[in-house]
Amino acid sequence: MSHSHGDTIPLHPSSAQSDMDEIESLIYAAPSATVLPARPPSPPRASIPVSTSPAPLPAPAPPKPTLPGASVPIFVPQAPPPAAPPASVSVPIASDGFGPPPNTLTEPVWDTVKRDLARIVSNLKLVVFPNPYREDPGKALRDWDLWGPFFFIVFLGLTLSWSASVKKSEVFAVAFAVLAAGAIILTLNVLLLGGHIIFFQSLSLLGYCLFPLDVGALVCMLKDNVILKIIVVTVTLAWSSWAAYPFMSAAVNPRRKALALYPVFLMYISVGVWWELRGRMAEPSKVIHIRNVGHEISESELLQVVQPFGTVAKLVMLRAKNQALVQMEDLASAVNAIQYYNTIQPSVRGRNVYLQYSSHQELTTDQSSHGRNPDQEEPNRILLVTIHHMIYPITIEVLHQVFSPYGFVEKIVTFQKSAGFQSLIQYESRQSAIQAYGALHRFHKSIVAHRTTFKIISALPSHTKHLLHFVIANITPHQMSKAAMIAAAFGGTLPPGVSGINDRCTLVVSNLNTDKIDEDKLFNLFSIYGNIVRIKILKNKPDHALIQMADGLQAELAVHYLKGATLFGKKLEVNYSKYPTVTPDPDARDYSTSHLNRFNSNVVKNYRHCCAPTKMIHISALPQDITEDSILSLVGEHGTIVNSRLFETNGKTQALVLFESVEEATDALVEKHASKLDRTNIRISFSQMQNI
């Protein structure tokens, strides 16, 4: 017999005990009963407490006495609720919304993507169709996300950097930096105005409102029209600012919306100004603007940066600003230079320089040239030389000797002006004039080392006749001849990688073979590149030596050609020393007066023969009756000889010996140069010939 939970059973007083027993049996039969589905909770009512303990229930209290014939209503308690499932058992999510929220880690990826795309589209509609009177203006801030802003800022950065003349990575980075800074300022501003917003909501707001700017950037990239760009930038800035207005409705008090929107408007104005400036910088021009030009960088060194791409028409140094302006002969040369240095960082004397198009299309270096037809001007092939404080007479012959190594000199005119003694040097070609200027500028430091002053005060055309100006002060004819001699030895230009303006004369050489090296062997090798003053092998570091050369150019040649060379099985490290000279002391060998210094005579020939070590050596100052076998026996012990030849030039016997490796030829030169052969000191140098 079963009853519903709400039924009552009338009991007779005489059968009360048996009825109570039946109720207890119903209670304890609950675990086997079927639990009905959940229903809305009913009002609280009395129930019999049921213990889940297996201990027997205490005996029930006897019923209160009742009148005969009366029935007592007895409430049958509900069955106990089922025990909660263990923590490890997953609970299914009910369709009516009860239970935990959805788990995105277990849902299909496509469902996640669709949900994110739907949110991006929903937020984007609020930007494309801004409406400050929408019913729920705060929905976009509540539903913020970062996927949309990420796509829009990346697109804007790519579009703006597409035609940028500066580093594209810089343009891309600026776009992200402006967005982040704007989000920080907006967040702080809203909080100070008493509103409620977090940084990521600000980032989402500003990022979505970049969409109009993305559209404008794309239009400007496809259509290169100035008027169109101005219209597009103005419209997209207003669109972005107006689209941000509804977003702010739920963030601040309505009376403070304008103050909250101010930094947003300011940020988009900044983006627009930067956009316009970037567009101007991207406008190709024959004039290249070079930044970070230190005072130690000369005009000729800057010319080396751009001359491989075409002829340089003008160069203006802005020393006060560490900048320079270079005008190429044509637009294509400037474009090639900018495109090349967009991928490779140029460096001059260890300093990075930065190239971009200038806002100037032409350089005007003298106001007196205004109003004249540049097509009627004389080609740029004349040098104006000004000599101050002239101590020795400067003749036309001396000037010709200085300037003729760089090209055919057509005319030389000398005259006296208030600025000093001046001369006009006219070359046959414009390129010869530029080459002469660049070469002589390189050698002014080496002349300074000889206690004179050789200074170039301006570089390229500075007036109507396009004259190249430079000043020579306190230079003797002998010193001018030496500058010309050095320039002529290298064909008017120094070897690539040699600046010619180094003024450090002392070198430190390390990683020497201590078992075989000594001062004389180091002299034999380094004297190929200049005269040696002193050499000192360090006692505390026997694999290190200090070598003082006669001047900075010769020291630079030694570093350039011998750095990394192999001597006696060791790779040499050759660098400039921090010491200006090698102090005379018993441990230092002095060679300043040695007749074995190669550059005491035949300076031009010795400079011309400067080169890195090769497999072939040239032996001169040989006895007239020397035989080829004697030559081979002299140097053959230092390696395998591939070929040799004994010959006579101008009545002097000479020889060429080709070794199997550069290391063998170097060892032979170091060991045998200046050795006596029939009471004569033979001379050995490296030959630049490839075969005999």
Side-chain angles (χ1 to χ4, degrees):
M1 176 179 179
S2 63
H3 302 275
S4 65
H5 295 289
D7 293 341
T8 58
I9 304 173
L11 297 177
H12 192 274
S14 62
S15 61
Q17 185 64 42
S18 61
D19 290 336
M20 290 298 295
D21 294 338
E22 184 178 353
I23 291 173
E24 289 181 12
S25 65
L26 288 174
I27 293 173
Y28 286 105
S32 62
T34 302
V35 180
L36 297 177
R39 63 182 178 180
S42 58
R45 53 189 174 182
S47 61
I48 300 175
V50 179
S51 172
T52 57
S53 171
L57 290 172
K64 295 181 179 180
T66 58
L67 295 175
S71 61
V72 180
I74 302 297
F75 293 97
V76 180
Q78 294 180 353
S88 61
V89 179
S90 62
V91 180
I93 301 172
S95 60
D96 58 0
F98 289 93
N103 187 356
T104 58
L105 295 178
T106 58
E107 71 174 351
V109 176
W110 179 238
D111 291 346
T112 305
V113 173
K114 287 193 297 184
R115 185 173 60 255
D116 291 339
L117 289 177
R119 180 175 296 176
I120 292 174
V121 172
S122 175
N123 289 338
L124 187 58
K125 287 180 180 178
L126 303 178
V127 176
V128 178
F129 307 106
N131 180 12
Y133 306 107
R134 66 170 66 99
E135 294 181 0
D136 187 8
K139 180 178 182 300
L141 285 181
R142 291 196 305 271
D143 295 340
W144 64 270
D145 71 278
L146 298 180
W147 279 116
F150 175 76
F151 292 142
F152 297 141
I153 191 62
V154 168
F155 184 85
L156 182 64
L158 291 175
T159 307
L160 294 181
S161 62
W162 182 263
S163 59
S165 64
V166 296
K167 299 274 185 190
K168 299 183 184 298
S169 58
E170 294 179 3
V171 176
F172 199 78
V174 167
F176 276 87
V178 170
L179 178 62
I184 294 174
I185 295 173
L186 175 61
T187 303
L188 295 176
N189 187 55
V190 171
L191 294 178
L192 292 174
L193 291 174
H196 302 281
I197 197 171
I198 64 174
F199 170 75
F200 294 109
Q201 288 176 327
S202 299
L203 200 62
S204 177
L205 185 158
L206 296 178
Y208 271 106
C209 292
L210 285 176
F211 175 76
L213 296 179
D214 288 347
V215 176
L218 183 62
V219 172
C220 292
M221 184 182 70
L222 298 177
K223 296 291 184 180
D224 189 11
N225 184 283
V226 177
I227 298 177
L228 177 63
K229 285 182 179 180
I230 295 175
I231 296 174
V232 168
V233 170
T234 304
V235 171
T236 53
L237 283 177
W239 184 4
S240 293
S241 301
W242 179 247
Y245 182 79
F247 284 82
M248 305 303 300
S249 299
V252 295
N253 188 300
R255 291 177 298 178
R256 298 182 175 181
K257 282 183 183 179
L259 291 175
L261 194 63
Y262 172 72
V264 178
F265 179 73
L266 190 62
M267 191 205 81
Y268 290 131
I269 288 293
S270 301
V271 172
V273 172
W274 171 65
W275 182 357
E276 179 64 22
L277 291 177
R278 183 215 58 80
R280 291 184 180 180
M281 289 189 295
E283 191 71 26
S285 168
K286 291 190 296 184
V287 181
I288 298 175
H289 180 208
I290 307 178
R291 296 180 287 116
N292 199 33
V293 180
H295 292 279
E296 73 278 7
I297 296 177
S298 63
E299 292 92 337
S300 61
E301 289 172 320
L302 279 184
L303 291 176
Q304 293 180 27
V305 175
V306 295
Q307 275 181 338
F309 304 95
T311 304
V312 176
K314 299 178 183 178
L315 170 64
V316 176
M317 300 294 292
L318 308 175
R319 290 296 187 186
K321 299 180 179 180
N322 284 347
Q323 298 175 8
L325 295 173
V326 178
Q327 180 176 323
M328 306 300 290
E329 183 71 19
D330 51 54
L331 182 61
S333 301
V335 171
N336 291 336
I338 292 295
Q339 290 179 347
Y340 178 78
Y341 289 122
N342 273 343
T343 57
I344 296 178
Q345 175 62 58
S347 177
V348 181
R349 294 178 66 85
R351 176 193 286 260
N352 290 340
V353 294
Y354 304 95
L355 282 72
Q356 64 188 49
Y357 293 119
S358 171
S359 58
H360 302 283
Q361 293 297 321
E362 297 281 345
L363 284 183
T364 303
T365 53
D366 192 340
Q367 297 299 325
S368 63
S369 63
H370 287 180
R372 302 188 183 186
N373 186 357
D375 296 332
Q376 297 176 354
E377 294 177 356
E378 186 178 345
N380 179 8
R381 54 195 180 99
I382 302 175
L383 298 176
L384 173 62
V385 182
T386 303
I387 304 173
H388 294 291
H389 310 296
M390 187 171 60
I391 301 174
Y392 302 92
I394 302 297
T395 63
I396 292 179
E397 289 75 17
V398 170
L399 292 173
H400 186 271
Q401 186 179 9
V402 172
F403 292 98
S404 60
Y406 311 103
F408 181 75
V409 178
E410 291 183 337
K411 299 178 183 178
I412 298 179
V413 178
T414 61
F415 48 88
Q416 189 72 36
K417 289 285 186 178
S418 58
F421 180 83
Q422 292 184 323
S423 175
L424 290 175
I425 315 292
Q426 179 175 316
Y427 280 94
E428 183 179 28
S429 68
R430 182 172 171 276
Q431 194 63 32
S432 297
I434 296 177
Q435 187 178 13
Y437 169 81
L440 287 176
H441 177 83
R442 291 181 182 179
F443 293 110
H444 80 276
K445 288 288 186 180
S446 63
I447 298 178
V448 170
H450 291 84
R451 303 189 181 193
T452 64
T453 303
F454 181 59
K455 182 180 180 183
I456 300 177
I457 58 174
S458 63
L460 284 170
S462 62
H463 59 75
T464 307
K465 290 194 176 287
H466 297 299
L467 302 182
L468 301 179
H469 295 248
F470 59 90
V471 174
I472 305 176
N474 294 338
I475 298 180
T476 66
H478 170 73
Q479 291 157 347
M480 293 180 69
S481 299
K482 181 172 183 179
M485 186 168 46
I486 297 174
F490 290 105
T493 58
L494 287 171
V498 178
S499 68
I501 58 176
N502 171 64
D503 55 2
R504 292 169 290 181
C505 303
T506 304
L507 309 176
V508 56
V509 185
S510 58
N511 200 34
L512 297 170
N513 188 328
T514 57
D515 296 330
K516 295 185 177 181
I517 201 66
D518 58 35
E519 290 86 349
D520 289 340
K521 293 175 182 177
L522 286 174
F523 172 86
N524 292 344
L525 179 61
F526 281 81
S527 63
I528 296 175
Y529 308 101
N531 287 345
I532 307 297
V533 179
R534 293 181 192 86
I535 297 178
K536 179 179 180 179
I537 296 179
L538 306 182
K539 285 187 175 181
N540 56 342
K541 293 181 179 180
D543 64 335
H544 284 60
L546 294 176
I547 302 177
Q548 181 181 342
M549 308 288 289
D551 59 48
L553 173 63
Q554 295 176 356
E556 187 177 12
L557 291 172
V559 172
H560 178 72
Y561 287 121
L562 292 180
K563 194 178 185 68
T566 301
L567 178 62
F568 298 135
K570 294 279 192 175
K571 190 175 182 179
L572 298 181
E573 281 295 330
V574 185
N575 297 288
Y576 298 107
S577 172
K578 63 181 179 180
Y579 301 105
T581 61
V582 177
T583 305
D585 61 41
D587 295 329
R589 186 78 60 86
D590 192 290
Y591 294 92
S592 58
T593 59
S594 174
H595 70 281
L596 297 176
N597 270 316
R598 302 172 187 252
F599 287 76
N600 289 335
S601 60
N602 298 324
V603 177
V604 172
K605 184 179 71 173
N606 284 306
Y607 274 121
R608 188 181 300 122
H609 290 163
C610 288
C611 65
T614 64
K615 296 181 182 180
M616 188 179 300
I617 58 174
H618 174 262
I619 308 175
S620 59
L622 291 170
Q624 290 291 334
D625 56 350
I626 191 75
T627 63
E628 190 169 344
D629 290 338
S630 301
I631 298 294
L632 297 180
S633 62
L634 177 68
V635 298
E637 62 180 294
H638 301 290
T640 302
I641 296 177
V642 177
N643 200 358
S644 63
R645 182 164 71 95
L646 188 66
F647 59 97
E648 185 174 320
T649 301
N650 296 329
K652 297 179 180 180
T653 304
Q654 303 176 41
L656 291 172
V657 179
L658 178 63
F659 284 88
E660 193 173 61
S661 67
V662 176
E663 291 81 2
E664 293 173 346
T666 304
D667 293 349
L669 183 148
V670 168
E671 293 277 6
K672 293 300 190 293
H673 171 70
S675 59
K676 285 191 175 295
L677 193 63
D678 194 16
R679 294 180 297 178
T680 302
N681 292 109
I682 64 173
R683 296 170 58 90
I684 304 179
S685 59
F686 293 111
S687 174
Q688 301 181 43
M689 296 178 60
Q690 300 297 321
N691 295 297
I692 296 179

